Structures are given as C-alpha cells and as structure tokens.
Amino acid sequence: MLQRPRRNRKSEVIRQMVQETHVSAANLIFPLFIIDGVNQKSEVASMPGIFRYSIDNLLREIESCLKLGLNSFDLFPNIAEDLKDKFATESYRDESLYLRAIREVKKNFPEACVITDVAMDPYSSDGHDGIVENGVILNDETLDVLGKMALAHAQSGADIIAPSDMMDGRVGYIRNVLDDNGFTNVSIMSYSAKYASAFYGPFRDALNSAPKFGDKKTYQMNPANQREALIEAELDELEGADFLMVKPALPYLDVIKLIKDNTELPVAAYNVSGEYAMIKAAIQRGWLNEQRAITEVLTSIRRAGATAILTYHAKEVLENKWL
C-alpha cells in the first residue's frame, strides 16, 4: 500500500501537526443571565453550573472571565412579571435592569465585547417575540419596538446588537435606526436561521420567558428546512448584518456549513441551553467523559464553519485548559 492514512495519526505530535480545526477563546461568546437585586446568584435548575446574576455579581463574573481570556459576552435579562406589558416598554426604559447592566459592564470593563439581545419575549406579557393582536404576531408593528430597543442598547454601550426575534425586515430597520442616530460602528449579529426548536426549554426557564399561549412556529423556522435558511441569511446580509447566526447549533451543523459556503460574512452558532443541559445530564450520570464530550461539541461547530460560538461551556473549557 502506497497510501496509509494512519501514518498521520501515529503520534500526538503528528496528530496536532495535521489538525484542521482549532477552537480558541477568541471564538467563544459566553451568554450570561441577569436578575434584579443585590448580591444575587441563583443557579438555573435545568442548567447545572449556570447562574442568574445581579449586576454586582455579573461584574465579578465578567472580571473572572476576562482573566481567562474570555472577552465576549451576550447578556439576557430575567424581567419581573409586573414590568411586562403587551408592547415590551420595559425593554427601552432608561433605568431598566438590562440597560443598567450594559452601562455598568462597559463602564467597568470597556475592553469587553458586549452583545445584546433584541427581542420582545423577555419583556412581553404575552411571552412572544412580537406584538400580539387577536392571537396573531404582528410583524411590521413590532419593528418599531425592536428599533427603540436596539437604539437604547447602543446608547448604553453595546458593541454588537443581536436581534433574535425573526421578524421580517428587522435587520434593515435596526441598521437604519442605528445609522440615523450616529451608531454606524455598532455591529449587528443577526439570528438569521433561528429554528422553532425543542432545545430552548432551559433558557426559557432561566428567563421565565416562555410564550403564554401557542408556539413560535409562525416566525421561527421549520426544523425540516435547509434552503429556507439561505433565503433568511441572504436577506439579512443585504439589509446590513455583520454576522449571520444559526440557532441551535448541534442539530443544524449542515445549516452552518450551508450558510458558511454561501457568504463572506462571519457565521455564528448558538450552542443552546438544551444542548448544554443534555450533555451535562449525561456527564452527571457518568455516561460521557466531560472534557472529551464538550471539546468535541465545540470542535464540531467550528468545523462546520462557525467563526463565533455562543456557548454555556465557554468559561469551563478555559478554566480547565481544555482547548
């Protein structure tokens, strides 16, 4: 035999030499949950090792991450029920929990990259990503709320705005609002292919943001569809997105690759709460090796084409020097 591929696998040194895919701290974005109060830290029951933080503890958590070389954070608020309404007005109130958190993080750690979530569901009394009228999610009317939210985030110091709502036309609308108000350098990381997935449950537990009725299938994508993701991604790129995101990640590695092969923009992927919970449950039962399982997951997402990975594993892989 002239060709023996095993020769390039015969030692650790050679295996590392020919390794095609690498994951580093620069590729990782750490999602963090925020709650009101002082000195609060509560674990998400369905996400072992993941916590909701009051702003003071959020700052301590980010400081510890920065020391590990983890520099990018996506913030998500847990909003009290009595502050929620049909039009998500709390989302752009100047002294809201979320806007205060953004300002404090950027004030204390200007070097950190702060990514903010633009969607109505954490603030909506209906628990949906858009304005609800007679059981219908209104698309165009929702854009005004999303624009106000994105502008408030930019004014508070956000580096990247990440609309996760899946309303048609929202990237272009937000881009125009930001540009018209002088925030031409604020980026947009669009949730371009966000699927109506079963893997979001623990996240909704963390934020208490589940829909009060129905589901999100009229605006989030059908898990059976692949080519539709290209339509969404191409529209977002034309409307001014700087990153294109696929969510979830593991069940949609084919979609990550498809979008990566059809754009010059960086592609992000969200290794979501249900994926994290699934892996952690198996690890806790002794069914999987923790280090190998987690690093294999992250490597597979990178290999599929993701430049940036939003993952709840971000801190632990750096703390344990698994990368």
Side-chain angles (χ1 to χ4, degrees), residues 167-183:
M167 297 297 114
D168 292 340
R170 90 275 203 209
V171 171
Y173 190 94
I174 289 170
R175 184 73 271 162
N176 286 333
V177 168
L178 293 175
D179 289 357
D180 290 347
N181 286 275
F183 293 102

Side-chain angles (χ1 to χ4, degrees), residues 235-251:
L235 285 171
D236 288 352
E237 184 166 351
L238 288 170
E239 291 176 23
D242 301 287
F243 300 77
L244 305 175
M245 189 195 298
V246 177
K247 180 184 179 182
L250 284 180

